[in-house]
Amino acid sequence: MNEALAEYGTSRHQKSYRFLSKLSEITKKSGKPTQILMYNQALTNFHLKRFAAAMTILENLFEEIESASEELALRICFLLLEMYFYSSRGLSSKTFLESKEYKKMMKVIAFLEKSSSKDSKEFKFRLHLMMTKIQLRIESTKQVKKEVKAALDLYEEEIKAHLNDPPAVKSGCIRPSDSMWWCLPGTTRDCMPTFLKANMEYARSNMRKTIRHLTNAKRKGVDESLYFNGMGCAHFQLKAYDTAASYFARSLDATASESKERKSSGATVKKSSSSNNIPSHERRCAEITSLDVMYNSGLSLLKCNRPKLAFRCFRRASSSMHRDPLVWIRMAECCIAGWKKRRLSSNERPSQAKGTNFRRVVGVQSARRVLLPLSTREGDDEERDGEEKDMTMAYARTCLRNALILLQDGDKEKKRKNNKSSGGAEGKDTILIRTALLSSIFVSLCVSDHVEALREAREFLKRRDITDKQRCFASFYAAEALCCMDRASEATKQLTGTPLIASKFDIDDKIRAGYHVNVAKTYILQSDLKKAEKCANQALNYVSRFPEAVRILTYIKMRSNSSERALGVLRATTTEKTG
């Protein structure tokens, strides 16, 4: 095994698969693998991102941890904790507290606290850092502050003294001593407390301090991909979405460049101002979190109204986060945003370029004809290529169905474990289910599946946990579906049968105005212009110069052969805008 380790080390840890195969050959020859051999297999699987295999080996080793040497036992425990952190990504703090990963982590922490190395300052430093990460995960900011302070106190007492030793500084790592069972890499030891303090301030929504701590961590040598991702998250919370998108892009670039450098065996690691004198084996980029950064980038791009690029990011992130319903909901949002953008551009196209909405005019006088294009969507397919061809409303419906299946399965699993429905405050899954259901109704309308849209809307309105705003929109969608099926009278009953805009409801004036406009449209379809005009005027009482209400009033006056009154409505609106 020593020969295999030496070869693996000289290759700068590039030939991981070959090293793993040699370990397997040694295991077959020896019959029963040793604990050191199994640990090396787990560690190599971890670097190859084969996390399930690594966790299985580590859990088997932890069951027989008492027979392992002190140093090996501690290495197994800390690597196992990292595995539990990775496997629980995407869970909310409440869900994480109830998860099996958290219970297993507490079992490992209990073993570490009983370790004979508990008097070692270096061990205490590591343990405090690990406890800080756990407390951050459960959003216990007071405990985080306590653990970070304890780690920094140890750093100043014992570890800082070793940094003053010239040989230690020159080599970039602390020289092992009797009080230090496993020396931390220099950059990790220096920047990790500061980086965790930045995470603590982020959890406390103090973005200014977060940015300051991240800047200090970068100066101390934190990985560039982690730094840029943290800066992107902080600026996203400050609603500087363009800046956040730029930081996330730089984080992905840093990850890609680090990966290329690591793949080139024997290549010299490029040094920057923040990474001078840092050995290559310490510059471990967070490649396993690159897809998380991709998700963050997609979210910021979606906020910047760039749905095409956002869709690409979410789609790549879904290769690893396909069990997370939020990814599927985000992809559906991108499809809807792209559909709205295309529809808006197609509506603006005739005004931007006159004469492009018809082919040519033939004939004269009574025989004069205008020839229209064969397809009103001519050129759309040319604009959409590659992954964007899937960015359709039909694909949005598929994404929403995937999200609902995952959410409903998760909800059933929780109820099975608790043997009762979760009462009290609504959870994140409940909010996502309502969002996915309401979006699904809208998508069904967009793909002209009016029967399905009506069925989904009526099912949604039966729910008792929907908000006033969601009830309004679901009723609007149901009325739209009924109107499309030539059932305008039923649409009127749908909107007026139950109170939707009472003063006690938590909805804004724009939605109230939209309600009256929708009722007016149902009356117009029934040729009841007087009631339609009354509803349009009521809409203007809530929001003056409401475009839809103005258009309806103009249409009613024109249909009543009152061209002068129609012009009066338009002039009054124009006067109010310029006045």
Side-chain angles (χ1 to χ4, degrees), residues 533-547:
E533 184 176 359
K534 181 181 177 181
C535 290
N537 285 319
Q538 286 177 329
L540 290 173
N541 291 335
Y542 284 107
V543 180
S544 61
R545 306 192 303 274
F546 193 59

Side-chain angles (χ1 to χ4, degrees), residues 60-61 63 75 85 146 163 213 235 262 267 315 376 390 407 415 450 462 479 510 514 534 542 559 564:
N60 290 336
L61 285 171
E63 290 177 0
R75 288 176 181 268
F85 270 118
K146 180 181 176 182
L163 289 174
H213 287 311
H235 282 85
R262 200 174 296 111
R315 188 153 193 184
T376 57
D390 289 333
L407 288 166
K415 289 181 179 180
H450 306 122
K462 291 178 183 178
K510 193 171 182 180
K534 181 181 177 181
Y542 284 107
R559 190 167 169 180
E564 290 297 327

Side-chain angles (χ1 to χ4, degrees), residues 276-289:
N276 290 330
N277 301 322
I278 300 175
S280 60
H281 66 275
E282 293 185 24
R283 293 172 53 81
R284 295 193 181 277
C285 173
E287 288 185 49
I288 58 174
T289 62

Side-chain angles (χ1 to χ4, degrees), residues 305-309 311 331-350 352 376-385 387-396 442-443 446-447:
N305 196 25
R306 297 162 70 183
K308 289 182 180 180
L309 292 176
F311 181 79
M331 281 199 285
E333 287 179 356
C334 290
C335 295
I336 294 171
W339 177 83
K340 289 180 179 178
K341 212 170 183 180
R342 291 193 299 273
R343 190 180 183 191
L344 184 63
S345 63
S346 64
N347 290 339
E348 291 176 352
R349 202 172 295 155
Q352 290 173 352
T376 57
R377 297 178 59 85
E378 193 173 349
D380 274 8
D381 291 334
E382 296 176 4
E383 296 175 2
R384 294 167 57 198
D385 53 358
E387 291 180 341
E388 294 155 14
K389 284 190 175 179
D390 289 333
M391 198 174 150
T392 61
M393 296 302 276
Y395 188 73
F442 178 79
V443 170
C446 294
V447 297

Side-chain angles (χ1 to χ4, degrees), residues 116-183:
S116 60
S117 298
K118 61 184 178 181
D119 295 330
S120 166
K121 297 292 179 66
E122 180 78 8
F123 169 75
K124 287 182 180 179
F125 183 73
R126 278 179 174 272
L127 189 58
H128 281 306
L129 291 182
M130 187 58 67
M131 288 301 298
T132 302
K133 292 171 71 175
I134 295 173
Q135 297 301 326
L136 273 171
R137 194 68 182 77
I138 62 178
E139 298 181 0
S140 178
T141 53
K142 289 184 179 179
Q143 200 65 25
V144 169
K145 190 174 182 180
K146 180 181 176 182
E147 295 290 345
V148 170
K149 186 178 182 301
L152 289 174
D153 289 342
L154 287 169
Y155 177 83
E156 292 174 0
E157 289 175 12
E158 176 87 5
I159 302 175
K160 201 171 182 180
H162 290 274
L163 289 174
N164 295 326
D165 189 4
V169 175
K170 186 175 181 181
S171 62
C173 64
I174 297 175
R175 188 168 55 193
S177 65
D178 295 336
S179 63
M180 301 172 64
W181 60 275
W182 180 16
C183 60

Side-chain angles (χ1 to χ4, degrees), residues 4-5 8 15-23 40 44:
L5 281 169
Y8 185 51
K15 301 177 181 178
S16 300
Y17 286 103
R18 184 174 177 179
F19 177 61
L20 194 61
S21 63
K22 286 192 175 184
L23 291 179
N40 285 330
T44 309

